[in-house]
Structure formats: C-alpha cells, structure tokens
C-alpha cells in the first residue's frame, strides 16, 4: 500500500462520523457487540473522536469516560 492509498483511507475515515464507523465495525464483526475485537475498536474510535473536541472543558467528561472504559476493559 503506497502513501496515496493510506492518505485516501485516512480521509475516508475522517469523513465518516463516529456512529457510521461503529456501524460499519458492528456489521464487520457479525453484528455481535460482545466480541472483544469489536469492543476494542469501538473504544479506540471513541478515544480518537474525543481528541477532536477542541474545548478542554467539553472534552473532559469524554476523557473521563474513556479512561474508565479503558481501565474496565
């Protein structure tokens, strides 16, 4: 995979919202939310999404939730 392909994949991922990405992952994992792979991907996507929030005050509760989920899983 060359650099241009990687950039295109990143653009497509950014263009999709959090819920669209989670929906695609859910379908990919056989529509089973209990699979550890699906859960790990959702947590990772949530972590990336929360870092796109510019305001620290608005991001803080999402960061706290993310930390709790990471420690739980």
């Amino acid at each position: 995979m060359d650099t241009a392909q990687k950039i295109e994949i990143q653009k497509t991922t950014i263009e999709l919202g959090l819920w669209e990405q989670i929906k695609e992952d859910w379908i990919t994992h056989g529509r089973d939310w209990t699979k550890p792979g699906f859960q790990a991907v959702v947590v990772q996507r949530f972590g990336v999404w929360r870092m796109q929030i510019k305001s620290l005050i608005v991001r803080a509760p999402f960061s706290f939730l993310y930390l709790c989920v990471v420690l739980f899983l």
Side-chain angles (χ1 to χ4, degrees):
M1 182 179 303
D2 65 358
T3 306
Q5 289 174 326
K6 289 180 183 178
I7 291 172
E8 186 62 32
I9 290 171
Q10 288 175 347
K11 285 181 184 177
T12 303
T13 302
I14 291 171
E15 289 171 359
L16 290 176
L18 176 64
W19 292 113
E20 289 89 4
Q21 291 177 0
I22 291 174
K23 182 180 176 184
E24 283 187 3
D25 295 332
W26 180 62
I27 293 168
T28 301
H29 285 87
R31 299 174 191 254
D32 184 3
W33 65 270
T34 62
K35 290 187 176 181
F38 173 72
Q39 294 173 0
V41 169
V42 169
V43 170
Q44 188 273 337
R45 291 196 187 281
F46 179 76
V48 170
W49 173 81
R50 74 176 170 89
M51 291 306 293
Q52 294 174 353
I53 300 172
K54 302 287 187 220
S55 171
L56 293 175
I57 294 171
V58 175
R59 185 180 359 159
F62 295 109
S63 293
F64 178 75
L65 177 63
Y66 176 74
L67 179 63
C68 291
V69 171
V70 167
L71 292 176
F72 177 70
L73 291 177

